[in-house]
Amino acid sequence: MGTMEMMTAEKLELLRSSAFELEHAQMYDSSYSEHERAALALETEIERSLVSISPDGNSEESRRIAQTQINIHRERQRALRPHLESGSGVEDEEGRECVFIPAPNHWGANGDLDEESGSLSSVHNLLTWQANYSPLSYTPMYDELPSPDIPYYTMLDPSQPPTTYHLHRTREWSTSGCRKFIYTAREYSDKYALYMLEASHRGDSQVTSADFCRVAEYPQPCITILLSGIDKCDHNAAYKSRCIHLRGPFATPTPIKEYPDRQQKIPWSPRRFTYGGRRFVWKPGDSNDDVMPETLYEFQRDWAKPGSRTGKRCDDAQERKLVWGEKKRKGKVESYTIHFAGGVDQVFREMLLASQMARQVVLFTAID
């Protein structure tokens, strides 16, 4: 365990951030050392809380968070070890480069919101800002926005491979009758967590909110999720469709809103939303498996299905999948893999991932 040296919360947060930022700068040895310092400092915080006589300093939840952060730093050390100067270079034993955690403040998602990036998220950011704040009828930062008549997938770099995450339920326990679901997304090797989603659930209620975090920032969420409730709670409630609102790193507090064609009906999808001036629809990934990750398509037009009395709709969705998933089984344990078309920017990818993980957590409440 670490020494009992005092460290303020602000200094500890800077130390944690530094470890991830050095990793992104490919300063692997320095990053490894900072992860070690952060883990030791967090162990000291746990020691101090256990001997504290102050109610504020003796919080079981605070210790749980600190232990999770320690596990994250130790895991990143294992990921970095092959890349140290004393290791095998910039690739691991499988010949793959180090997979970065999106770091706070300086890399990754923040740049996707800049107009110079040309990403769909930058277009969404601009359109949201203009709709809420700009008195102008034109777009001052673009001469011309990409036309929504051009399929989104044609704007993606075809040389980039799909981005893959492996999804796992990692923990569940009871506190005051409440179960906490912790769901992680690991990178392609299925070894190291990149994202976490947490949601609480009581047996007599529904999951109505969740927090989606980059592990570099845990427990600070980068996306907060709200789910609409179900009027009539029964054994099928978890399988009934609902609205999902996702609030992320956007220019205004306006959330991304996903609306099902038929609310409070089985299954959850089709569910539609607009992003960057384009329209997208989630459709069932497997009509025989409600928990399978959904498949995402772009569409331009939808209309009521002739003869439907329950709100079913048709659309002109493109054939090209933007997101799709599959199930893996080891013994009695099931996990899921989700793929994103290569070139989808990080902000958009995180929003889509948060939506799928939140939906699955609700479905898991019916299974467990």
Side-chain angles (χ1 to χ4, degrees), residues 141-366:
M141 290 176 279
Y142 283 100
D143 292 331
E144 185 177 352
L145 288 172
S147 170
D149 295 332
I150 302 173
Y152 172 60
Y153 72 84
T154 65
M155 303 172 63
L156 302 178
D157 184 352
S159 67
Q160 294 195 35
T163 300
T164 295
Y165 299 107
H166 301 278
L167 308 181
H168 298 273
R169 282 177 288 171
T170 58
R171 218 179 315 181
E172 178 189 351
W173 68 94
S174 298
T175 54
S176 303
C178 180
R179 297 188 298 174
K180 183 178 286 287
F181 287 87
I182 299 182
Y183 205 33
T184 59
R186 301 177 190 165
E187 39 68 71
Y188 60 77
S189 74
D190 204 7
K191 295 178 181 177
Y192 309 116
L194 302 182
Y195 298 100
M196 297 176 64
L197 181 139
E198 292 191 350
S200 297
H201 171 254
R202 292 180 182 272
D204 57 350
S205 65
Q206 307 164 48
V207 173
T208 56
S209 64
D211 289 329
F212 178 84
C213 308
R214 304 174 188 125
V215 299
E217 300 167 334
Y218 179 83
Q220 179 64 35
C222 66
I223 297 174
T224 56
I225 303 115
L226 295 177
L227 302 106
S228 62
I230 299 295
D231 292 340
K232 182 180 178 181
C233 286
D234 53 31
H235 66 282
N236 287 320
Y239 297 98
K240 294 180 179 178
S241 63
R242 60 199 71 191
C243 303
I244 302 179
H245 289 192
L246 302 109
R247 200 179 302 275
F250 312 114
T252 74
T254 304
I256 305 302
K257 302 176 182 179
E258 298 184 357
Y259 292 115
D261 288 355
R262 304 189 307 152
Q263 294 204 36
Q264 303 195 25
K265 299 289 184 180
I266 298 173
W268 281 60
S269 44
R271 200 170 61 260
R272 305 176 193 274
F273 65 95
T274 300
Y275 190 83
R278 295 172 177 272
R279 305 179 72 187
F280 299 93
V281 56
W282 291 110
K283 295 193 175 184
D286 184 341
S287 59
N288 297 315
D289 186 351
D290 290 327
V291 188
M292 183 70 73
E294 295 166 309
T295 302
L296 184 72
Y297 302 90
E298 183 181 10
F299 74 100
Q300 291 182 326
R301 191 172 65 92
D302 66 317
W303 58 92
K305 183 176 182 179
S308 174
R309 297 182 179 181
T310 60
K312 292 182 179 179
R313 302 189 68 79
C314 301
D315 56 55
D316 60 354
Q318 301 283 339
E319 292 184 4
R320 175 72 176 268
K321 299 177 182 178
L322 297 172
V323 182
W324 63 99
E326 59 201 34
K327 178 191 290 186
K328 298 188 300 179
R329 182 188 290 272
K330 292 183 179 180
K332 295 183 178 180
V333 178
E334 293 179 349
S335 63
Y336 297 86
T337 299
I338 188 167
H339 309 279
F340 296 81
V344 174
D345 69 74
Q346 182 182 316
V347 169
F348 190 28
R349 193 169 65 239
E350 288 175 346
M351 190 274 289
L352 300 173
L353 182 60
S355 170
Q356 286 299 292
M357 292 175 75
R359 170 184 169 273
Q360 284 198 302
V361 162
V362 175
L363 292 167
F364 289 148
T365 65

Side-chain angles (χ1 to χ4, degrees), residues 13-37:
E13 188 59 35
L14 287 173
L15 176 60
R16 295 195 66 238
S17 296
S18 173
F20 293 105
E21 290 167 1
L22 287 167
E23 184 176 326
H24 273 254
Q26 299 186 18
M27 300 174 66
Y28 299 134
D29 288 73
S30 297
S31 175
Y32 188 93
S33 297
E34 291 294 89
H35 280 298
E36 178 69 18
R37 290 183 61 209

Side-chain angles (χ1 to χ4, degrees), residues 46 49-50 52 54-65:
I46 292 177
S49 74
L50 289 171
S52 174
S54 167
D56 294 336
N58 193 18
S59 166
E60 183 178 344
E61 178 66 8
S62 295
R63 287 195 294 273
R64 182 192 70 81
I65 290 172

